[in-house]
C-alpha cells in the first residue's frame, strides 16, 4: 500500500471516537458504566448535538428532492420559487443528475452575488468552485500546489494548533508541513515574527510555497484582526506565497469587539501591488455557521489572481471527481438566496438564524467561564468558531503513566475521562501544541443544560485525576 497513508492521522475521528462508539454499543447491550450516555464533544456536528435545521433551507431541499411537493399548499411560495429555479438548472430537472464539474452555474452565480453583498467586492462565477464541503476544496488546492522533491518539495505553512485536515492531507501528499505557533498568551493571535521564523527554517530543507490561515480559528476559536490580515497579506506578497484562507466559521463571531474580515475583501481594499498579485483561495461551508448542515457536504472556494493557465488546470483537476453532491449544491443555493423582506418565510428565517447564533454566543461565554473556574485549567476567550482549546496541567506521575502506556499525556487523560464520565474530547496532541504543554478541544455545541453538566463532570473528574497522580 501507499506508505504515505500510514502517516496520515486524523484525531477528530481517531482512537478516542472509536472507543466512544464501542462504549455506546456496550451501553445499549446493558453493560454497567458510571454514566448513562456518551457525550460527543469532539466534533463540530451541530445537528448531532441537537441543533434544529433552519426550516427554509430544509423546505427548499425537500421540494428539490421530491418535486411533487411543489403542489403541496403547506410549503411557502418563496421556498417553491427557489426550488423551481434550482431544479430548472439541473439536467432533466432532477437533483439525481450530474452537474457541471465546478458546480451548477446558477449556484456559482449565487455565490458570486453573496460575496459581492458581503464584501462590496465583485466576484467572477468562473473563479468559484463548489465542493463536497470546504475540506474537499482545501485538499484539491493542496494537490494543485504540492510538487518537487528533496529541497524543492513544496512546504506549506500551517498554524499550530491546526485542524488535522491539513496535517493529514500534507502527509498523504508527502508535502513538508511547516508549523507556525499561534500565541496562546495573546488569545491565540497570529504572530508575524513566528511566521518569519517558520519560513526561514523551512527554507533550509524545502521550498515554502503556501501559507494556510484558519480564521476564525479551529481548534483555538480566535478571530484575527484586520491589521493582522493586512500583515499576513503583505508577508505573502513579499515571500511569494500562495494564500489559503479557511473561513468556514465566518458566521460564528462571539467575542466583544471581534469582527470577521474576509481575506478577499482586505486584499482588494489594500490595492496594488497586493490586490493584483497575491494568489488567494478562500473557503466556506454549509457545515458550520448557523446552518450546521454537515451531512449535506456543501461548500465552495473562490480563487483570485490565478494565472489563466493555472485556472484551467484547476478546472481539469476538479473535473476528475465529476461533480460535488448536487443536494449540497442545492442547499448552498438556498442559503445564499434567503427569503427577502416581505416574503412569507423571511421572519421565521431571521428568527431561527438569530436564535442559533445567540445560543452559541451564550455557550461560548459559559464554556470559557466554567473552564476557568477549574484549578489547573486555563481557557482563552472563545471569540469565534465552535470550540474551546484550554490548556491543562498534568502531574508528572500522570505523564509517566502515559509514557508507560505508549500514549501522549493528554490522550491518556482524555481516554481516562471518556471511560470515567462518557465525555468524548480530542487531545491537544491531535492538533499540535507547543512542547511541554497539554490541551484538549471541546465543542460548545451541546444544549446549555447538557453543556453545564459536561463541564461540571469534567471539573470533578480532572480534580480527582490530579489527586490520584499527585
Amino acid at each position: 500500500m501507499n506508505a504515505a497513508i500510514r502517516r496520515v492521522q486524523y484525531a477528530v475521528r481517531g482512537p478516542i471516537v472509536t472507543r466512544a462508539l464501542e462504549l455506546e454499543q456496550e451501553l445499549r447491550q446493558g453493560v454497567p458504566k458510571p454514566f448513562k450516555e456518551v457525550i460527543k464533544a469532539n466534533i463540530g456536528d451541530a445537528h448531532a448535538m441537537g441543533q434544529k435545521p433552519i426550516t427554509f433551507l430544509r423546505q427548499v431541499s425537500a421540494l428539490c428532492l421530491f418535486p411533487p411537493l411543489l403542489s403541496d399548499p403547506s410549503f411557502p411560495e418563496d421556498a417553491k420559487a427557489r426550488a423551481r429555479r434550482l431544479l430548472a438548472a439541473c439536467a432533466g430537472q432532477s437533483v439525481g443528475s450530474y452537474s457541471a464539474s465546478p458546480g451548477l452555474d446558477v449556484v456559482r452565480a449565487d455565490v458570486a452575488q453573496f460575496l459581492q453583498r458581503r464584501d462590496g467586492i465583485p466576484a467572477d462565477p468562473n473563479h468559484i468552485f463548489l465542493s463536497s464541503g470546504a475540506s474537499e476544496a482545501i485538499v484539491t488546492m493542496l494537490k494543485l500546489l504540492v510538487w518537487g522533491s528533496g529541497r524543492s518539495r513544496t512546504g506549506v505553512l500551517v498554524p499550530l494548533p491546526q485542524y488535522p485536515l491539513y496535517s493529514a492531507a500534507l502527509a498523504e501528499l508527502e508535502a513538508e508541513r511547516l508549523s507556525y505557533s499561534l500565541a496562546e498568551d495573546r488569545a491565540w493571535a497570529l504572530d508575524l515574527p513566528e511566521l518569519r521564523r517558520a519560513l526561514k527554517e523551512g527554507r533550509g530543507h524545502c521550498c515554502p510555497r503556501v501559507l494556510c490561515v484558519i480564521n476564525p480559528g479551529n481548534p483555538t476559536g480566535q478571530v484575527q484582526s484586520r491589521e493582522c490580515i493586512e500583515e499576513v497579506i503583505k508577508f505573502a506578497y513579499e515571500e511569494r506565497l500562495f494564500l489559503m484562507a479557511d473561513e468556514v466559521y465566518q458566521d460564528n463571531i462571539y467575542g466583544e469587539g471581534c469582527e470577521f474580515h474576509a481575506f478577499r475583501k482586505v486584499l482588494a481594499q489594500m490595492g496594488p501591488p497586493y490586490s493584483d498579485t497575491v494568489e488567494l483561495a478562500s473557503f466556506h461551508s454549509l457545515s458550520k455557521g448557523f446552518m450546521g448542515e454537515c451531512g449535506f457536504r456543501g461548500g465552495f472556494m473562490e480563487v483570485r489572481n490565478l494565472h489563466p493557465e493555472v485556472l484551467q488546470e484547476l478546472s481539469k483537476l476538479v473535473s476528475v471527481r465529476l461533480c460535488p453532491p448536487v443536494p449540497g449544491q442545492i442547499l448552498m443555493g438556498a442559503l445564499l438566496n434567503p427569503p427577502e423582506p416581505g416574503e412569507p418565510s423571511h421572519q421565521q428565517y431571521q428568527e431561527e438564524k438569530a436564535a442559533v447564533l445567540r445560543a452559541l454566543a451564550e455557550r461560548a461565554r459559559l464554556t470559557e467561564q466554567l473552564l476557568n473556574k477549574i484549578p489547573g485549567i486555563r481557557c482563552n476567550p472563545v471569540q469565534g468558531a465552535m470550540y474551546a482549546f484550554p490548556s491543562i496541567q498534568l502531574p508528572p506521575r500522570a505523564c509517566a503513566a502515559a509514557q508507560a502506556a505508549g500514549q501522549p499525556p493528554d490522550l491518556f487523560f482524555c481516554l481516562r475521562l471518556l471511560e470515567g464520565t462518557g465525555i468524548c474530547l480530542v487531545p491537544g496532541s491531535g492538533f499540535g501544541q507547543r512542547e511541554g504543554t497539554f490541551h484538549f478541544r471541546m465543542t460548545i455545541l451541546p444544549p446549555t443544560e447538557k453543556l453545564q453538566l459536561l463541564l461540571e463532570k469534567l471539573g470533578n473528574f480532572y480534580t480527582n485525576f490530579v489527586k490520584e497522580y499527585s
Side-chain angles (χ1 to χ4, degrees):
M1 62 175 284
N2 183 349
I5 301 300
R6 295 175 62 87
R7 295 191 290 273
V8 172
Q9 301 291 330
Y10 189 63
V12 173
R13 291 180 181 250
I16 292 275
V17 181
T18 300
R19 181 58 185 147
L21 294 172
E22 291 172 353
L23 287 171
E24 284 186 320
Q25 181 65 23
E26 291 172 14
L27 284 170
R28 285 192 289 269
Q29 294 171 349
V31 178
K33 300 290 177 186
F35 48 86
K36 294 181 180 179
E37 66 171 332
V38 174
I39 303 176
K40 294 196 188 78
N42 62 297
I43 194 166
D45 191 348
H47 291 187
M49 287 285 99
Q51 181 178 310
K52 300 300 181 186
I54 301 296
T55 302
F56 179 79
L57 301 182
R58 286 298 183 89
Q59 286 175 330
V60 175
S61 297
L63 290 162
C64 288
L65 287 167
F66 192 61
L69 291 174
L70 287 164
S71 60
D72 188 331
S74 66
F75 283 79
E77 287 303 317
D78 50 355
K80 290 180 178 179
R82 273 34 167 219
R84 291 189 184 100
R85 175 175 175 266
L86 291 163
L87 283 170
C90 296
Q93 296 203 14
S94 171
V95 296
S97 59
Y98 288 126
S99 74
S101 294
L104 293 166
D105 287 345
V106 68
V107 179
R108 294 166 77 200
D110 287 342
V111 173
Q113 291 172 8
F114 161 75
L115 294 174
Q116 167 89 46
R117 288 195 308 270
R118 187 193 68 185
D119 303 328
I121 306 297
D124 183 346
N126 293 316
H127 294 178
I128 292 165
F129 297 83
L130 305 184
S131 58
S132 177
S135 298
E136 183 200 43
I138 289 167
V139 172
T140 297
M141 282 308 307
L142 290 172
K143 286 180 179 178
L144 185 75
L145 298 169
V146 170
W147 60 278
S149 60
R151 291 175 67 94
S152 70
R153 189 64 170 164
T154 295
V156 181
L157 290 149
V158 296
L160 184 84
Q162 52 93 38
Y163 180 53
L165 166 70
Y166 293 90
S167 54
L170 295 176
E172 182 180 352
L173 295 169
E174 299 185 273
E176 293 290 331
R177 175 161 59 108
L178 308 174
S179 297
Y180 62 91
S181 295
L182 302 174
E184 184 170 9
D185 58 347
R186 292 189 288 118
W188 300 110
L190 194 157
D191 184 58
L192 197 62
E194 171 63 10
L195 262 184
R196 295 194 187 282
R197 178 207 60 77
L199 181 72
K200 183 179 179 181
E201 288 187 8
R203 283 184 171 149
H205 62 274
C206 68
C207 184
R209 296 189 176 99
V210 186
L211 169 57
C212 299
V213 180
I214 308 173
N215 180 51
N218 177 8
T220 46
Q222 87 286 2
V223 179
Q224 303 295 356
S225 67
R226 182 190 172 93
E227 292 73 23
C228 174
I229 292 172
E230 288 182 358
E231 287 183 347
V232 169
I233 290 172
K234 289 176 182 177
F235 175 77
Y237 170 79
E238 293 163 3
E239 304 296 348
R240 300 189 65 186
L241 297 171
F242 189 105
L243 259 177
M244 292 177 58
D246 181 341
E247 300 174 332
V248 302
Y249 295 99
Q250 59 190 258
D251 291 311
N252 302 108
I253 308 293
Y254 322 118
E256 186 176 348
C258 292
E259 182 180 352
F260 170 72
H261 299 280
F263 266 80
R264 68 183 299 276
K265 177 180 179 179
V266 177
L267 176 61
Q269 292 178 344
M270 288 173 70
Y274 309 107
S275 60
D276 54 8
T277 304
V278 174
E279 296 164 300
L280 170 69
S282 50
F283 308 90
H284 196 18
S285 169
L286 289 171
S287 300
K288 311 304 175 185
F290 60 93
M291 306 81 68
E293 294 282 10
C294 302
F296 272 85
R297 308 312 303 135
F300 70 80
M301 70 173 167
E302 186 214 27
V303 295
R304 302 185 74 80
N305 292 327
L306 261 65
H307 189 282
E309 290 182 21
V310 177
L311 186 65
Q312 195 171 33
E313 293 300 317
L314 175 59
S315 298
K316 180 180 72 176
L317 183 58
V318 301
S319 71
V320 174
R321 52 94 199 260
L322 293 179
C323 72
V326 174
Q329 297 185 53
I330 291 293
L331 196 66
M332 182 66 75
L335 171 70
L336 301 182
N337 191 10
E340 299 289 338
E343 290 189 308
S345 300
H346 180 260
Q347 182 175 347
Q348 182 182 14
Y349 180 85
Q350 294 297 327
E351 288 174 353
E352 290 178 352
K353 174 181 176 180
V356 170
L357 294 175
R358 188 166 55 247
L360 288 172
E362 176 190 347
R363 293 171 200 160
R365 289 188 291 271
L366 178 70
T367 301
E368 176 197 346
Q369 290 168 2
L370 295 186
L371 283 173
N372 282 325
K373 287 183 179 179
I374 305 170
I377 296 181
R378 181 183 176 276
C379 183
N380 272 317
V382 182
Q383 297 175 334
M386 295 178 171
Y387 315 100
F389 195 68
S391 64
I392 55 172
Q393 297 176 15
L394 297 176
R397 286 186 59 221
C399 295
Q403 185 177 15
Q407 299 168 351
D410 46 12
L411 173 60
F412 179 78
F413 169 77
C414 287
L415 282 169
R416 288 285 305 274
L417 175 72
L418 176 62
E419 296 287 351
T421 67
I423 296 171
C424 182
L425 308 179
V426 188
S429 51
F431 300 89
Q433 56 197 348
R434 284 187 181 272
E435 188 173 351
T437 67
F438 307 112
H439 301 78
F440 60 78
R441 189 191 80 163
M442 62 167 287
T443 72
I444 62 169
L445 292 173
T448 302
E449 299 78 12
K450 186 173 286 190
L451 183 62
Q452 286 178 311
L453 176 63
L454 182 158
L455 292 166
E456 180 182 330
K457 292 173 70 175
L458 170 62
N460 290 336
F461 178 87
Y462 174 74
T463 300
N464 292 330
F465 181 88
V466 169
K467 287 179 181 176
E468 179 183 351
Y469 287 98
S470 293

